[in-house]
CSV table of all heavy atoms in Angstrom, one decimal:
chain,number,residue,atom,x,y,z
A,38,GLY,N,134.2,104.3,73.7
A,38,GLY,CA,133.5,103.3,74.6
A,38,GLY,C,132.1,103.7,74.9
A,38,GLY,O,131.2,102.8,75.0
A,39,THR,N,131.8,104.9,75.1
A,39,THR,CA,130.4,105.4,75.3
A,39,THR,C,129.5,105.1,74.1
A,39,THR,O,128.4,104.6,74.3
A,39,THR,CB,130.4,106.9,75.6
A,39,THR,OG1,131.2,107.2,76.7
A,39,THR,CG2,129.0,107.4,75.9
A,40,VAL,N,130.1,105.3,72.9
A,40,VAL,CA,129.3,105.0,71.7
A,40,VAL,C,129.0,103.5,71.6
A,40,VAL,O,127.8,103.1,71.3
A,40,VAL,CB,130.0,105.5,70.4
A,40,VAL,CG1,129.3,105.0,69.2
A,40,VAL,CG2,130.1,107.0,70.4
A,41,LEU,N,129.9,102.7,71.9
A,41,LEU,CA,129.7,101.2,71.9
A,41,LEU,C,128.6,100.8,72.9
A,41,LEU,O,127.8,100.0,72.7
A,41,LEU,CB,131.0,100.5,72.1
A,41,LEU,CG,132.1,100.6,71.0
A,41,LEU,CD1,133.4,99.9,71.5
A,41,LEU,CD2,131.6,100.0,69.7
A,42,LEU,N,128.7,101.4,74.1
A,42,LEU,CA,127.7,101.1,75.2
A,42,LEU,C,126.4,101.6,74.8
A,42,LEU,O,125.4,100.9,75.0
A,42,LEU,CB,128.2,101.7,76.5
A,42,LEU,CG,127.3,101.5,77.7
A,42,LEU,CD1,127.2,100.0,78.0
A,42,LEU,CD2,127.8,102.2,78.9
A,43,LEU,N,126.3,102.8,74.1
A,43,LEU,CA,125.1,103.3,73.6
A,43,LEU,C,124.4,102.4,72.6
A,43,LEU,O,123.2,102.1,72.6
A,43,LEU,CB,125.3,104.7,73.1
A,43,LEU,CG,124.1,105.4,72.4
A,43,LEU,CD1,123.0,105.7,73.4
A,43,LEU,CD2,124.6,106.7,71.8
A,44,ARG,N,125.3,101.9,71.7
A,44,ARG,CA,124.7,101.0,70.7
A,44,ARG,C,124.2,99.7,71.3
A,44,ARG,O,123.1,99.2,70.8
A,44,ARG,CB,125.9,100.7,69.7
A,44,ARG,CG,125.4,99.8,68.5
A,44,ARG,CD,126.6,99.5,67.6
A,44,ARG,NE,126.2,98.6,66.5
A,44,ARG,CZ,127.0,98.2,65.6
A,44,ARG,NH1,128.3,98.6,65.6
A,44,ARG,NH2,126.6,97.3,64.7
A,45,TYR,N,124.8,99.2,72.3
A,45,TYR,CA,124.4,97.9,72.9
A,45,TYR,C,123.1,98.2,73.7
A,45,TYR,O,122.2,97.3,73.6
A,45,TYR,CB,125.4,97.4,73.9
A,45,TYR,CG,125.0,96.2,74.6
A,45,TYR,CD1,125.2,94.9,74.1
A,45,TYR,CD2,124.5,96.3,75.9
A,45,TYR,CE1,124.8,93.8,74.7
A,45,TYR,CE2,124.1,95.1,76.6
A,45,TYR,CZ,124.2,93.9,76.0
A,45,TYR,OH,123.8,92.8,76.7
A,46,LEU,N,122.9,99.3,74.4
A,46,LEU,CA,121.8,99.5,75.2
A,46,LEU,C,120.6,100.0,74.5
A,46,LEU,O,119.5,100.2,75.1
A,46,LEU,CB,122.1,100.5,76.4
A,46,LEU,CG,123.2,100.0,77.4
A,46,LEU,CD1,123.4,101.0,78.4
A,46,LEU,CD2,122.7,98.7,78.0
A,47,ARG,N,120.7,100.3,73.2
A,47,ARG,CA,119.5,100.7,72.4
A,47,ARG,C,118.4,99.7,72.5
A,47,ARG,O,117.2,100.1,72.4
A,47,ARG,CB,119.9,101.0,71.0
A,47,ARG,CG,120.7,102.3,70.8
A,47,ARG,CD,121.1,102.4,69.3
A,47,ARG,NE,119.9,102.4,68.5
A,47,ARG,CZ,119.9,102.2,67.2
A,47,ARG,NH1,121.0,101.9,66.6
A,47,ARG,NH2,118.8,102.2,66.5
A,48,ARG,N,118.7,98.4,72.7
A,48,ARG,CA,117.7,97.4,72.7
A,48,ARG,C,116.8,97.5,73.9
A,48,ARG,O,115.7,96.9,73.9
A,48,ARG,CB,118.4,96.0,72.7
A,48,ARG,CG,119.1,95.7,74.0
A,48,ARG,CD,119.9,94.4,74.0
A,48,ARG,NE,121.0,94.5,73.1
A,48,ARG,CZ,121.9,93.5,72.8
A,48,ARG,NH1,121.6,92.3,73.3
A,48,ARG,NH2,122.9,93.7,72.0
A,49,HIS,N,117.2,98.3,74.9
A,49,HIS,CA,116.4,98.4,76.1
A,49,HIS,C,115.5,99.6,76.1
A,49,HIS,O,114.9,100.0,77.1
A,49,HIS,CB,117.3,98.4,77.3
A,49,HIS,CG,118.0,97.2,77.6
A,49,HIS,ND1,117.4,96.0,77.9
A,49,HIS,CD2,119.4,96.9,77.5
A,49,HIS,CE1,118.3,95.0,78.0
A,49,HIS,NE2,119.5,95.6,77.8
A,50,ARG,N,115.4,100.3,74.9
A,50,ARG,CA,114.5,101.5,74.9
A,50,ARG,C,113.1,101.2,75.4
A,50,ARG,O,112.6,100.1,75.0
A,50,ARG,CB,114.5,102.0,73.4
A,50,ARG,CG,115.7,102.6,72.9
A,50,ARG,CD,115.5,103.4,71.6
A,50,ARG,NE,114.9,102.5,70.6
A,50,ARG,CZ,115.5,101.8,69.7
A,50,ARG,NH1,116.9,101.8,69.7
A,50,ARG,NH2,114.9,101.1,68.8
A,51,GLY,N,112.6,102.1,76.2
A,51,GLY,CA,111.2,101.9,76.7
A,51,GLY,C,111.2,101.3,78.0
A,51,GLY,O,110.1,101.4,78.7
A,52,LYS,N,112.2,100.7,78.5
A,52,LYS,CA,112.2,100.1,79.9
A,52,LYS,C,112.4,101.3,80.9
A,52,LYS,O,112.9,102.3,80.5
A,52,LYS,CB,113.4,99.1,80.0
A,52,LYS,CG,113.1,97.8,79.2
A,52,LYS,CD,114.2,96.8,79.4
A,52,LYS,CE,113.9,95.5,78.6
A,52,LYS,NZ,114.9,94.5,78.9
A,53,PRO,N,112.1,101.0,82.1
A,53,PRO,CA,112.1,102.1,83.1
A,53,PRO,C,113.5,102.7,83.2
A,53,PRO,O,114.5,102.0,83.5
A,53,PRO,CB,111.8,101.4,84.4
A,53,PRO,CG,110.9,100.2,84.0
A,53,PRO,CD,111.5,99.8,82.7
A,54,GLY,N,113.6,104.0,82.9
A,54,GLY,CA,114.9,104.8,83.0
A,54,GLY,C,115.8,104.6,81.8
A,54,GLY,O,116.8,105.4,81.7
A,55,ALA,N,115.5,103.7,80.9
A,55,ALA,CA,116.4,103.4,79.8
A,55,ALA,C,116.6,104.6,78.9
A,55,ALA,O,117.7,104.9,78.4
A,55,ALA,CB,116.0,102.2,79.0
A,56,ASN,N,115.4,105.2,78.5
A,56,ASN,CA,115.5,106.4,77.5
A,56,ASN,C,116.3,107.5,78.1
A,56,ASN,O,117.1,108.2,77.4
A,56,ASN,CB,114.1,106.8,77.2
A,56,ASN,CG,113.3,105.8,76.4
A,56,ASN,OD1,113.9,104.8,75.9
A,56,ASN,ND2,112.0,106.0,76.2
A,57,TRP,N,116.2,107.8,79.4
A,57,TRP,CA,116.9,108.9,80.0
A,57,TRP,C,118.4,108.5,80.0
A,57,TRP,O,119.3,109.4,79.8
A,57,TRP,CB,116.4,109.2,81.4
A,57,TRP,CG,115.1,109.9,81.4
A,57,TRP,CD1,113.9,109.4,81.8
A,57,TRP,CD2,114.9,111.3,81.1
A,57,TRP,NE1,112.9,110.4,81.7
A,57,TRP,CE2,113.5,111.5,81.3
A,57,TRP,CE3,115.7,112.3,80.7
A,57,TRP,CZ2,113.0,112.8,81.0
A,57,TRP,CZ3,115.2,113.6,80.4
A,57,TRP,CH2,113.8,113.8,80.6
A,58,PHE,N,118.7,107.3,80.3
A,58,PHE,CA,120.1,106.9,80.4
A,58,PHE,C,120.8,106.9,79.0
A,58,PHE,O,121.9,107.3,78.9
A,58,PHE,CB,120.2,105.5,81.0
A,58,PHE,CG,121.7,105.1,81.3
A,58,PHE,CD1,122.3,105.6,82.4
A,58,PHE,CD2,122.4,104.2,80.5
A,58,PHE,CE1,123.6,105.3,82.7
A,58,PHE,CE2,123.7,103.8,80.8
A,58,PHE,CZ,124.3,104.4,82.0
A,59,LEU,N,120.0,106.6,78.0
A,59,LEU,CA,120.5,106.7,76.6
A,59,LEU,C,120.8,108.2,76.3
A,59,LEU,O,121.8,108.5,75.6
A,59,LEU,CB,119.5,106.1,75.6
A,59,LEU,CG,119.3,104.6,75.7
A,59,LEU,CD1,118.2,104.2,74.7
A,59,LEU,CD2,120.6,103.9,75.4
A,60,LEU,N,120.0,109.1,76.7
A,60,LEU,CA,120.2,110.5,76.5
A,60,LEU,C,121.5,110.9,77.2
A,60,LEU,O,122.3,111.7,76.7
A,60,LEU,CB,119.0,111.3,77.0
A,60,LEU,CG,119.2,112.9,77.0
A,60,LEU,CD1,119.5,113.3,75.5
A,60,LEU,CD2,118.0,113.6,77.6
A,61,VAL,N,121.7,110.4,78.4
A,61,VAL,CA,123.0,110.7,79.2
A,61,VAL,C,124.2,110.2,78.4
A,61,VAL,O,125.2,110.9,78.3
A,61,VAL,CB,122.9,110.0,80.6
A,61,VAL,CG1,124.3,110.1,81.3
A,61,VAL,CG2,121.9,110.6,81.4
A,62,LEU,N,124.1,109.0,77.8
A,62,LEU,CA,125.2,108.5,77.0
A,62,LEU,C,125.4,109.3,75.8
A,62,LEU,O,126.6,109.5,75.4
A,62,LEU,CB,124.9,107.0,76.6
A,62,LEU,CG,124.9,106.0,77.8
A,62,LEU,CD1,124.6,104.6,77.3
A,62,LEU,CD2,126.2,106.0,78.5
A,63,VAL,N,124.4,109.8,75.1
A,63,VAL,CA,124.6,110.7,74.0
A,63,VAL,C,125.3,111.9,74.4
A,63,VAL,O,126.3,112.3,73.7
A,63,VAL,CB,123.2,111.0,73.3
A,63,VAL,CG1,123.4,112.1,72.3
A,63,VAL,CG2,122.6,109.8,72.7
A,64,ALA,N,124.9,112.5,75.5
A,64,ALA,CA,125.6,113.7,76.0
A,64,ALA,C,127.0,113.4,76.3
A,64,ALA,O,128.0,114.2,76.1
A,64,ALA,CB,124.8,114.3,77.1
A,65,GLN,N,127.2,112.3,77.0
A,65,GLN,CA,128.6,111.9,77.4
A,65,GLN,C,129.5,111.6,76.2
A,65,GLN,O,130.6,112.1,76.2
A,65,GLN,CB,128.4,110.6,78.2
A,65,GLN,CG,129.7,110.0,78.8
A,65,GLN,CD,129.5,108.8,79.6
A,65,GLN,OE1,128.7,108.8,80.5
A,65,GLN,NE2,130.2,107.7,79.3
A,66,ALA,N,128.9,111.0,75.2
A,66,ALA,CA,129.7,110.7,73.9
A,66,ALA,C,130.1,112.1,73.3
A,66,ALA,O,131.2,112.3,72.8
A,66,ALA,CB,129.0,109.8,73.0
A,67,LEU,N,129.1,113.0,73.2
A,67,LEU,CA,129.4,114.3,72.6
A,67,LEU,C,130.4,115.1,73.4
A,67,LEU,O,131.4,115.7,72.8
A,67,LEU,CB,128.1,115.1,72.6
A,67,LEU,CG,128.2,116.5,72.0
A,67,LEU,CD1,128.6,116.5,70.5
A,67,LEU,CD2,126.8,117.3,72.2
A,68,TRP,N,130.4,115.0,74.7
A,68,TRP,CA,131.4,115.6,75.6
A,68,TRP,C,132.8,115.1,75.3
A,68,TRP,O,133.7,115.8,75.0
A,68,TRP,CB,130.9,115.4,77.0
A,68,TRP,CG,131.8,116.0,78.1
A,68,TRP,CD1,133.0,116.6,78.0
A,68,TRP,CD2,131.5,116.0,79.5
A,68,TRP,NE1,133.5,117.0,79.2
A,68,TRP,CE2,132.6,116.6,80.1
A,68,TRP,CE3,130.4,115.6,80.3
A,68,TRP,CZ2,132.6,116.8,81.5
A,68,TRP,CZ3,130.5,115.8,81.6
A,68,TRP,CH2,131.6,116.4,82.3
A,69,CYS,N,132.9,113.8,75.4
A,69,CYS,CA,134.2,113.2,75.2
A,69,CYS,C,134.8,113.3,73.8
A,69,CYS,O,136.0,113.7,73.7
A,69,CYS,CB,134.2,111.7,75.6
A,69,CYS,SG,133.7,111.4,77.3
A,70,LEU,N,134.0,113.0,72.8
A,70,LEU,CA,134.5,113.1,71.5
A,70,LEU,C,134.9,114.5,71.0
A,70,LEU,O,135.9,114.8,70.4
A,70,LEU,CB,133.5,112.5,70.5
A,70,LEU,CG,133.3,110.9,70.7
A,70,LEU,CD1,132.2,110.5,69.7
A,70,LEU,CD2,134.6,110.2,70.4
A,71,SER,N,134.0,115.5,71.3
A,71,SER,CA,134.2,116.8,70.9
A,71,SER,C,135.5,117.4,71.7
A,71,SER,O,136.3,118.1,71.1
A,71,SER,CB,133.0,117.7,71.2
A,71,SER,OG,132.7,117.7,72.6
A,72,TYR,N,135.6,117.1,72.9
A,72,TYR,CA,136.8,117.5,73.7
A,72,TYR,C,138.0,116.9,73.2
A,72,TYR,O,139.1,117.6,73.0
A,72,TYR,CB,136.6,117.3,75.2
A,72,TYR,CG,137.7,117.9,76.0
A,72,TYR,CD1,137.7,119.2,76.3
A,72,TYR,CD2,138.7,117.1,76.6
A,72,TYR,CE1,138.7,119.8,77.0
A,72,TYR,CE2,139.7,117.7,77.4
A,72,TYR,CZ,139.7,119.0,77.6
A,72,TYR,OH,140.7,119.6,78.4
A,73,GLY,N,138.0,115.6,72.9
A,73,GLY,CA,139.2,114.9,72.4
A,73,GLY,C,139.6,115.5,71.0
A,73,GLY,O,140.8,115.7,70.8
A,74,VAL,N,138.7,115.7,70.1
A,74,VAL,CA,139.0,116.3,68.8
A,74,VAL,C,139.5,117.7,69.0
A,74,VAL,O,140.5,118.1,68.3
A,74,VAL,CB,137.8,116.2,67.9
A,74,VAL,CG1,138.1,117.0,66.6
A,74,VAL,CG2,137.4,114.8,67.6
A,75,SER,N,138.9,118.5,69.9
A,75,SER,CA,139.3,119.9,70.0
A,75,SER,C,140.7,120.0,70.4
A,75,SER,O,141.4,121.1,70.1
A,75,SER,CB,138.4,120.6,71.0
A,75,SER,OG,138.6,120.1,72.3
A,76,LEU,N,141.3,119.0,71.1
A,76,LEU,CA,142.7,119.2,71.5
A,76,LEU,C,143.7,119.1,70.4
A,76,LEU,O,144.9,119.3,70.6
A,76,LEU,CB,143.0,118.1,72.6
A,76,LEU,CG,142.2,118.2,73.9
A,76,LEU,CD1,142.6,117.0,74.8
A,76,LEU,CD2,142.4,119.5,74.6
A,77,PHE,N,143.2,118.8,69.2
A,77,PHE,CA,144.1,118.8,68.0
A,77,PHE,C,143.9,120.1,67.1
A,77,PHE,O,144.6,120.2,66.1
A,77,PHE,CB,143.7,117.6,67.1
A,77,PHE,CG,144.1,116.2,67.7
A,77,PHE,CD1,143.1,115.5,68.3
A,77,PHE,CD2,145.4,115.8,67.7
A,77,PHE,CE1,143.4,114.3,68.9
A,77,PHE,CE2,145.7,114.5,68.2
A,77,PHE,CZ,144.7,113.8,68.8
A,78,VAL,N,142.9,120.9,67.5
A,78,VAL,CA,142.5,122.0,66.7
A,78,VAL,C,143.1,123.3,67.3
A,78,VAL,O,142.8,123.7,68.4
A,78,VAL,CB,141.0,122.1,66.6
A,78,VAL,CG1,140.6,123.3,65.8
A,78,VAL,CG2,140.5,120.8,65.9
A,79,ASP,N,143.9,124.1,66.5
A,79,ASP,CA,144.4,125.4,66.9
A,79,ASP,C,143.7,126.5,66.2
A,79,ASP,O,144.1,127.7,66.5
A,79,ASP,CB,145.9,125.4,66.7
A,79,ASP,CG,146.3,125.2,65.3
A,79,ASP,OD1,145.4,125.0,64.4
A,79,ASP,OD2,147.5,125.4,65.0
A,80,ASP,N,142.8,126.3,65.3
A,80,ASP,CA,142.1,127.4,64.7
A,80,ASP,C,141.1,127.9,65.7
A,80,ASP,O,140.2,127.2,66.2
A,80,ASP,CB,141.3,126.8,63.5
A,80,ASP,CG,140.5,128.0,62.8
A,80,ASP,OD1,141.1,128.8,62.1
A,80,ASP,OD2,139.3,128.0,63.0
A,81,PRO,N,141.2,129.2,66.0
A,81,PRO,CA,140.4,129.8,67.1
A,81,PRO,C,138.9,129.6,66.9
A,81,PRO,O,138.1,129.3,67.8
A,81,PRO,CB,140.8,131.3,67.1
A,81,PRO,CG,142.1,131.3,66.5
A,81,PRO,CD,142.2,130.2,65.5
A,82,THR,N,138.4,129.9,65.6
A,82,THR,CA,136.9,129.8,65.4
A,82,THR,C,136.4,128.4,65.5
A,82,THR,O,135.4,128.1,66.2
A,82,THR,CB,136.6,130.3,64.0
A,82,THR,OG1,137.1,131.7,63.8
A,82,THR,CG2,135.1,130.3,63.7
A,83,LEU,N,137.1,127.4,64.9
A,83,LEU,CA,136.7,126.0,65.0
A,83,LEU,C,136.9,125.5,66.4
A,83,LEU,O,136.1,124.7,66.9
A,83,LEU,CB,137.6,125.2,64.0
A,83,LEU,CG,137.2,123.7,64.0
A,83,LEU,CD1,135.7,123.5,63.6
A,83,LEU,CD2,138.1,123.0,63.0
A,84,ARG,N,137.9,126.0,67.1
A,84,ARG,CA,138.1,125.6,68.5
A,84,ARG,C,136.9,126.1,69.4
A,84,ARG,O,136.5,125.3,70.3
A,84,ARG,CB,139.4,126.2,69.0
A,84,ARG,CG,139.8,125.7,70.4
A,84,ARG,CD,140.1,124.2,70.4
A,84,ARG,NE,140.5,123.7,71.7
A,84,ARG,CZ,139.6,123.4,72.7
A,84,ARG,NH1,138.3,123.6,72.5
A,84,ARG,NH2,140.1,122.9,73.8
A,85,VAL,N,136.4,127.3,69.2
A,85,VAL,CA,135.2,127.7,69.9
A,85,VAL,C,134.0,126.8,69.6
A,85,VAL,O,133.3,126.5,70.6
A,85,VAL,CB,134.9,129.2,69.6
A,85,VAL,CG1,133.6,129.6,70.2
A,85,VAL,CG2,136.0,130.1,70.1
A,86,ALA,N,133.8,126.5,68.4
A,86,ALA,CA,132.7,125.6,68.0
A,86,ALA,C,132.8,124.3,68.7
A,86,ALA,O,131.8,123.8,69.3
A,86,ALA,CB,132.6,125.4,66.5
A,87,LEU,N,134.0,123.7,68.8
A,87,LEU,CA,134.1,122.4,69.5
A,87,LEU,C,133.9,122.6,71.0
A,87,LEU,O,133.4,121.7,71.7
A,87,LEU,CB,135.5,121.8,69.2
A,87,LEU,CG,135.7,121.3,67.8
A,87,LEU,CD1,137.2,121.0,67.5
A,87,LEU,CD2,134.8,120.1,67.5
A,88,GLU,N,134.3,123.7,71.5
A,88,GLU,CA,134.1,123.9,73.0
A,88,GLU,C,132.6,124.1,73.3
A,88,GLU,O,132.2,123.6,74.3
A,88,GLU,CB,134.9,125.2,73.4
A,88,GLU,CG,135.0,125.4,74.9
A,88,GLU,CD,135.9,124.3,75.6
A,88,GLU,OE1,136.7,123.7,74.9
A,88,GLU,OE2,135.8,124.2,76.8
Side-chain angles (χ1 to χ4, degrees):
T39 302
V40 170
L41 293 176
L42 183 60
L43 176 64
R44 181 179 178 183
Y45 177 84
L46 294 180
R47 285 179 58 199
R48 69 187 69 181
H49 295 295
R50 290 192 305 269
K52 292 185 178 180
N56 292 347
W57 286 107
F58 192 73
L59 291 175
L60 176 58
V61 172
L62 291 181
V63 170
Q65 180 177 310
L67 180 63
W68 180 351
C69 296
L70 292 175
S71 61
Y72 187 74
V74 171
S75 69
L76 296 181
F77 295 98
V78 176
D79 59 354
D80 178 74
T82 303
L83 183 57
R84 186 64 180 80
V85 170
L87 289 170
E88 192 70 17

